[in-house]
């Protein structure tokens, strides 16, 4: 079967750093996406990794290790507006179809 | 720049009634288009994808169908809604390393 696993919930303090892990077991791999989804809204694109290593975009960074089937999303200098669900998704072919994990709810506290 | 429009934003429909959700994309040609559904508290599930006009692939058996009458138009339909069809329906398009979602339609079947 195909599995994409991520923690259900994480809590962190404003200004801190949080790392959201995602492990995947899929038949094939053609890239990994991270999305942010606020309650009641559509997901917004954060990052895409297809090669091993770290991709940095401002306060957000995403890391991929294909040999380990592992990725993480790093959120630095947390702000209250970062409270949201973070979705890990894998595409396994060239058609761009995404398989999603269940999402990690990040709660930022003052 | 590319934009994706999806409507309506919310919909309440009785069991057994028909459904038509529409999605249009601007600023790109021949995009891959997708319909996802997110049930309450769960991850996104791919329902249909299309790589061109008239080309539809279904990912899961269900009470729904999809059509692509024009290059940038993707429609999700049902002849008779079931209670289990309730959820958050999202249209998406992808190109290369990015994938974007429409605003979503929250469907409640009563």
């Amino acid at each position: 079967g195909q599995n994409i696993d991520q923690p259900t919930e994480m809590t962190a303090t404003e200004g801190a750093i949080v790392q959201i892990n995602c492990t995947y077991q899929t038949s094939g791999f053609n890239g990994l996406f991270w999305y942010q989804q606020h309650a009641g809204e559509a997901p917004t694109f954060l990052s895409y990794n297809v090669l091993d290593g770290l991709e940095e975009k401002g306060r957000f960074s995403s890391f991929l290790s294909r040999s380990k089937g592992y990725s993480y999303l790093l959120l630095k200098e947390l702000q209250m507006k970062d409270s949201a669900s973070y979705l890990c998704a894998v595409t396994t072919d060239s058609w761009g179809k995404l398989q999603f994990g269940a999402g990690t709810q990040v709660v930022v506290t003052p | 720049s590319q934009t994706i429009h999806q409507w309506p934003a919310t919909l309440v429909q009785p069991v057994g009634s028909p459904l038509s959700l529409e999605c249009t994309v601007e600023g790109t040609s021949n995009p891959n288009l997708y319909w996802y559904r997110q049930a309450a508290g769960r991850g996104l599930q791919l329902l249909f994808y299309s790589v061109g006009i008239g080309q539809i692939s279904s990912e899961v058996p269900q009470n729904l169908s999809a059509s692509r009458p024009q290059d940038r138009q993707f429609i999700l339909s049902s002849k008779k809604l079931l209670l289990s069809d309730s959820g958050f329906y999202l249209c998406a398009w992808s190109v290369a390393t990015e994938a974007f979602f429409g605003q979503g339609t929250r469907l409640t079947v009563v």
Side-chain angles (χ1 to χ4, degrees):
Chain A
Q2 318 229 56
N3 286 312
I4 300 172
D5 294 313
Q6 47 183 132
T8 303
E9 184 171 318
M10 303 182 74
T11 301
T13 306
E14 195 173 11
I17 298 173
V18 69
Q19 177 175 313
I20 306 169
N21 296 325
C22 172
T23 58
Y24 62 90
Q25 291 178 301
T26 56
S27 54
F29 179 82
N30 202 36
L32 187 142
F33 292 78
W34 283 98
Y35 287 86
Q36 180 190 62
Q37 185 178 26
H38 285 101
E41 298 181 8
T44 55
F45 171 81
L46 291 178
S47 68
Y48 170 79
N49 295 70
V50 67
L51 300 177
D52 290 351
L54 187 67
E55 296 278 345
E56 296 188 80
K57 280 187 181 181
R59 294 188 300 114
F60 293 0
S61 303
S62 57
F63 171 84
L64 175 67
S65 168
R66 288 172 298 172
S67 62
K68 295 182 179 178
Y70 167 71
S71 171
Y72 69 72
L73 179 69
L74 195 68
L75 286 62
K76 306 174 194 173
E77 302 169 18
L78 279 172
Q79 302 175 9
M80 298 301 292
K81 67 178 182 179
D82 297 329
S83 290
S85 183
Y86 291 84
L87 311 178
C88 173
V90 172
T91 182
T92 60
D93 56 31
S94 60
W95 302 119
K97 300 178 292 181
L98 296 175
Q99 297 178 50
F100 282 85
T104 299
Q105 185 66 44
V106 170
V107 178
V108 181
T109 59
Chain B
S1 65
Q2 302 90 345
T3 56
I4 181 168
H5 301 280
Q6 187 181 342
W7 65 93
T10 60
L11 194 58
V12 179
Q13 291 284 102
V15 168
S17 64
L19 173 74
S20 181
L21 302 180
E22 188 164 342
C23 168
T24 59
V25 180
E26 296 177 359
T28 184
S29 59
N30 198 31
N32 289 348
L33 297 174
Y34 314 86
W35 280 109
Y36 289 86
R37 177 171 61 199
Q38 187 174 36
R42 299 178 66 178
L44 278 78
Q45 181 185 37
L46 178 64
L47 302 176
F48 300 95
Y49 73 98
S50 171
V51 299
I53 296 174
Q55 299 181 54
I56 307 295
S57 295
S58 174
E59 289 294 295
V60 293
Q62 61 212 310
N63 184 42
L64 303 167
S65 62
S67 62
R68 187 168 176 176
Q70 300 180 42
D71 180 43
R72 292 174 237 175
Q73 183 184 30
F74 204 23
I75 297 172
L76 183 70
S77 304
S78 173
K79 292 182 180 178
K80 288 186 178 182
L81 284 169
L82 306 172
L83 286 174
S84 57
D85 292 324
S86 293
F88 192 36
Y89 288 82
L90 292 150
C91 179
W93 72 274
S94 74
V95 60
T97 62
E98 298 184 355
F100 298 94
F101 288 87
Q103 306 95 311
T105 296
R106 189 161 303 281
L107 171 66
T108 303
V109 183
V110 296

